[in-house]
Each structure stands twice: as C-alpha cells, then as structure tokens.
Amino acid sequence: MNRKLKIFFYSIATVIFFVTFITTKSFAQLPANNVSVNVSKTSLSGGKTIYQYTVVNNSSQRIVSFSLGSDYAHGVSELTSYPDSWSVDNGIKPGSILSPTKWDPLVLTTEGSAAVEIQWSNNDPSGDILPGQTATGFAVTLQGQSNQYLNSHWTVVFGNATAASGLLTQIGLPRIALSLESILPQGSNMFNVKITVANNGSAVGNVTVSNIILKTLAGSGDVTLVSPSLPLTVGNVPAGGKTTISLLVNAPQGISKFSIAEQGSVNSNGVKFAFSGSQVAYTKQ
C-alpha cells in the first residue's frame, strides 16, 4: 500500500475515533424520571403479539430519537427475540415495526452479539417530541411473545445531544364490551335503546363511539338513529366499571327485529385502541 493511501485510511480512522469519542462523551445521562416510556401488550391472531410504546417527555428538551432494548449505562443491546420476520439479510418486514408520522425505524446490530436494539429517529424537526408532549405510534410485532419487550431498557436522545435512559413501565389495557340493556317504546315508532358500555380490562379507558349502524332483520322499512349525534363522547370508564348510553331509534311499524353495530375507540395512557360491538333488539311490534 502506498504512503498516500495509508495516510488516507489513517485520517479516516482518526476522524471516526474522535467523532465517536466526542459523541459518547456528550451524551450526559439525565435522570430517567424526566422521561418515561410505557408499554402495553396485545395478543393478535396467528400467535403474534404487538407491543405498543408511549413516550412521555417531561424534560425541558425535545426528543429526536428513541431506542428500545438499549441499556445506555452499560452500552449493550438487549433484544434477542426479533421483530416478525426480521433478519439482517431481509431487513424490516412492512408492518412489523410501526412508527409515528415523520419517524423511521431501524434495527441496530452489534458485531459478535445476537442481541439487537430498535431505534426510531425523527426525519423532520416538526415531528420532535416537545417538552410536555406524549408520543404514541411506536410498536413492534413479534411471532410469539417475549418479556424482553416489556422489561428492557429504553434510551432517548434530546435535541441538545444529551440522553436519558430507564426501564420500561408496563401499563394495563382497557377492554370495552357493549351489550343491550333495554329497549322501551318512546312514542309513535320511537324506541329508547340503552346500551351498557363495560370495561373488562385492567386500566381506565376514555371511550368514544364514532359510528352506529342499524339494520332491519325482521319486517320492512329502515331503522334510523334519531339521537345522539356522532361521534359520541362516552368519557372515562374505570377498569371493572361500566356506564350506559341511550339511543333514540325510529323503527317504523312492522319492524320487529333489528341489529345495532357500534364502532369506536378507547384511549388509555396515551395509547388508542379500536373496539366494536353488536346487539339484536326486538320491538315487539
């Protein structure tokens, strides 16, 4: 190798060393209680599991990067169970790692180690997690399940090149179930339908009903919803608790049976889930 080429490679190596040194030293770790990362777990069909993460920024700095399975204090990665169908050769399978808008995921490997970490980086400053903000939309799907995605460390990098790290906080999940409570005549062709909204999960949920579909099952004519207007904000339903919503329905004479189908969402600890329900009602007309 000639002298010029040797000097070139030496210069490149020196630059890499100093960039690494300066970057590592500048990441002064902040107390983890300035930031927290909550995780919830949901079983999917086909034996898959989705882990959803919520980043809560109570620091005075904007967050520009978030890593899962990253033990910052010891400089090691922790995840030996990989995202669904991921491999070094194949990369990330579409849909296996989800990201908020303006964030991109990357699986980071370490030479000589089977463990990886998952890093989300912001590709647009307008997507930074600002002080006082909570960010959702970070999620990983596994074939099977792994406690590593519930118990590992996280690391965030701030806009001023400092970092914070801590352990994941597991949160419970709301589970919304709807059932027909009663149906009572309310004037000519009008019926007051009461629907019970129960939370059979382990966390409070803020419930919104976004759509209600009525369909005639026996008789002729169309069943229509008179009130309430949609979307309907039900509000917080505590774990193990329930509440009731009332629907005013117009069912023309001759209709003896109709179905009710609801669609909506429940928000818990900054994580949003969809739910649906269906019931059959008899008018006895």
Side-chain angles (χ1 to χ4, degrees):
M1 183 182 295
N2 62 45
R3 178 179 174 80
K4 288 184 179 180
L5 198 55
K6 286 182 179 179
I7 292 174
F8 172 78
F9 281 116
Y10 176 80
S11 300
I12 292 296
T14 303
V15 169
I16 292 173
F17 170 79
F18 278 107
V19 168
T20 304
F21 176 81
I22 292 170
T23 302
T24 303
K25 291 299 182 182
S26 67
F27 279 8
Q29 189 165 354
L30 298 179
N33 60 7
N34 288 324
V35 176
S36 61
V37 179
N38 300 325
V39 55
S40 62
K41 167 187 168 184
T42 305
S43 297
L44 304 176
S45 60
K48 296 183 180 182
T49 307
I50 186 170
Y51 299 87
Q52 296 175 290
Y53 301 91
T54 303
V55 180
V56 183
N57 185 8
N58 288 321
S59 75
S60 60
Q61 299 292 328
R62 61 180 61 218
I63 294 174
V64 299
S65 175
F66 160 51
S67 296
L68 171 68
S70 171
D71 185 351
Y72 177 89
H74 299 95
V76 296
S77 301
E78 300 175 312
L79 306 177
T80 54
S81 295
Y82 304 144
D84 183 28
S85 300
W86 177 87
S87 69
V88 173
D89 294 331
N90 296 329
I92 298 173
K93 176 184 176 181
S96 64
I97 302 179
L98 303 180
S99 310
T101 303
K102 301 177 182 178
W103 288 71
D104 296 316
L106 184 66
V107 178
L108 301 180
T109 60
T110 303
E111 186 176 357
S113 172
V116 302
E117 61 187 77
I118 300 172
Q119 181 186 82
W120 286 269
S121 297
N122 185 6
N123 58 38
D124 187 328
S126 65
D128 291 350
I129 307 172
L130 301 178
Q133 285 188 340
T134 296
T136 61
F138 303 100
V140 182
T141 299
L142 266 63
Q143 182 65 52
Q145 55 184 318
S146 170
N147 285 336
Q148 294 173 347
Y149 286 79
L150 296 172
N151 303 322
S152 68
H153 290 82
W154 53 264
T155 296
V156 297
V157 177
F158 298 103
N160 65 352
T162 59
S165 185
L167 285 169
L168 294 168
T169 302
Q170 294 185 47
I171 58 174
L173 294 175
R175 298 192 184 280
I176 302 303
L178 296 94
S179 59
L180 179 65
E181 182 176 311
S182 64
I183 175 170
L184 297 172
Q186 194 81 18
S188 178
N189 298 335
M190 305 293 283
F191 294 87
N192 187 348
V193 180
K194 291 188 179 295
I195 303 293
T196 298
V197 181
N199 182 356
N200 299 325
S202 56
V204 63
N206 193 321
V207 178
T208 300
V209 177
S210 56
N211 194 23
I212 296 176
I213 300 172
L214 305 176
K215 183 178 180 181
T216 301
L217 298 179
S220 59
D222 294 326
V223 185
T224 56
L225 179 67
V226 178
S227 66
S229 57
L230 300 174
L232 170 63
T233 300
V234 179
N236 286 326
V237 182
K242 62 183 179 180
T243 189
T244 301
I245 60 174
S246 295
L247 312 179
L248 185 59
V249 171
N250 183 303
Q253 191 171 7
I255 294 178
S256 59
K257 179 182 178 183
F258 64 91
S259 64
I260 308 165
E262 304 92 353
Q263 297 171 333
S265 62
V266 53
N267 196 306
S268 180
N269 294 299
V271 182
K272 192 174 184 179
F273 305 91
F275 71 85
S276 61
S278 62
Q279 305 83 38
V280 174
Y282 295 85
T283 65
K284 299 181 181 179
Q285 294 187 117

